[in-house]
Amino acid sequence: MLSLLGSYPWQGSSDYFLTSGDKIRFFFEKGVLDGKGNFLIPKEKSVSKIGHALHAYDPVFKQITHSPKVQELGRKLGLERPVVVQSMYIFKQPGIGGEVTPHQDATFLHTEPLGRVLGFWIALEDATQENGCLWFIPGSHTNGITRRMVRAASGASTCVEFVGSEPAYDDKQFIPLPISKGGLILIHGEVVHKSELNSSESSRHAFTFHVMEAKGTTWSKENWLQPTPELPFPSLYT
């Protein structure tokens, strides 16, 4: 399991993370700092991801998120009132880019009803089995979810906690989905997916963002990520 400061699944305690939904913040790979907080490898090679409001505050990623192609795809998918809830630049650094254990995005981004969250995953470099491409269990989006990550009660030792348990998945069920630079993967909120440690000499950069169909949907107040007065979830359509 990755640390809180890596790509999710998250664990641990950090207000820096919990208040990052309407900001652009940097998160590091596990094991890149010594006990005194000094970098063991070059700082620029230590970053795991940048999140979670690139879509709102960075002009390049705002343009990508709301590009005509993305908006057209949203309409073809039948999304009526899609809003953007978060965005991340994921580095998957060579040699140290951490494993992301099997999970469902709806564990972290829960809605009622389910089935209203969709991830857009854009490969900024070739994603291969060697550098940590995504793996999926086909058909797993039809089985619901058994675990949620929620905000912990005030005064708790951690800022988030898990309710329920993750099933034990058979590695043989997963299939890899390598993709070339510039390709797009759409990720259903309940599909089980993972990525392996990047033990290669090549990075695997990606830009990803999640949208929610807001029509007839309730965003859980227990989710770690919440809209704020400074940044309500913006419409995908402009």
Side-chain angles (χ1 to χ4, degrees):
M1 181 73 73
L2 289 178
S3 70
L4 178 70
L5 298 186
S7 302
Y8 66 80
W10 301 293
Q11 62 181 4
S13 174
S14 174
D15 285 339
Y16 183 84
F17 161 71
L18 201 60
T19 59
S20 66
D22 60 355
K23 300 174 180 67
I24 296 176
R25 289 183 170 171
F26 296 79
F27 301 85
F28 297 105
E29 289 287 354
K30 185 178 181 180
V32 299
L33 302 174
D34 64 19
K36 296 181 180 180
N38 299 311
F39 285 94
L40 298 172
I41 61 176
K43 186 183 299 183
E44 66 274 12
K45 298 293 186 181
S46 304
V47 179
S48 168
K49 71 173 183 178
I50 302 173
H52 291 91
L54 291 163
H55 62 281
Y57 298 128
D58 184 280
V60 172
F61 294 107
K62 184 175 184 178
Q63 183 179 23
I64 293 172
T65 303
H66 298 281
S67 68
K69 286 185 177 180
V70 170
Q71 294 191 48
E72 180 185 7
L73 180 57
R75 292 188 169 93
K76 286 183 177 180
L77 292 171
L79 300 177
E80 296 185 50
R81 288 175 46 205
V83 295
V84 186
V85 300
Q86 71 164 5
S87 54
M88 297 179 286
Y89 191 111
I90 301 173
F91 290 82
K92 202 75 166 180
Q93 300 281 10
I96 63 168
E99 171 195 13
V100 177
T101 55
H103 67 282
Q104 298 162 290
D105 291 346
T107 291
F108 310 93
L109 310 174
H110 191 269
T111 61
E112 292 185 3
L114 289 171
R116 301 303 179 92
V117 170
L118 180 66
F120 288 68
W121 197 96
I122 302 171
L124 302 180
E125 298 178 318
D126 291 347
T128 67
Q129 290 191 50
E130 291 71 33
N131 70 3
C133 71
L134 298 178
W135 294 66
F136 293 87
I137 297 181
S140 57
H141 65 289
T142 62
N143 297 328
I145 63 171
T146 59
R147 186 176 72 148
R148 288 186 58 193
M149 189 181 81
V150 300
R151 286 184 172 233
S154 178
S157 60
T158 59
C159 63
V160 295
E161 60 187 10
F162 286 97
V163 178
S165 60
E166 195 78 47
Y169 298 108
D170 183 350
D171 283 344
K172 295 179 182 178
Q173 293 180 283
F174 287 90
I175 62 167
L177 193 58
I179 189 169
S180 299
K181 175 181 178 179
L184 168 68
I185 299 174
L186 294 176
I187 304 176
H188 189 284
E190 283 109 79
V191 70
V192 178
H193 58 292
K194 67 174 184 175
S195 66
E196 303 291 348
L197 171 72
N198 180 5
S199 56
S200 77
E201 297 181 356
S202 301
S203 57
R204 192 224 64 187
H205 290 195
F207 175 62
T208 181
F209 59 93
H210 286 84
V211 304
M212 174 186 70
E213 172 56 81
K215 183 178 181 180
T217 306
T218 300
W219 181 259
S220 175
K221 296 185 183 303
E222 295 182 318
N223 286 340
W224 78 268
L225 175 70
Q226 295 295 323
T228 64
E230 293 76 21
L231 184 60
F233 293 154
S235 172
L236 179 68
Y237 301 149
T238 58

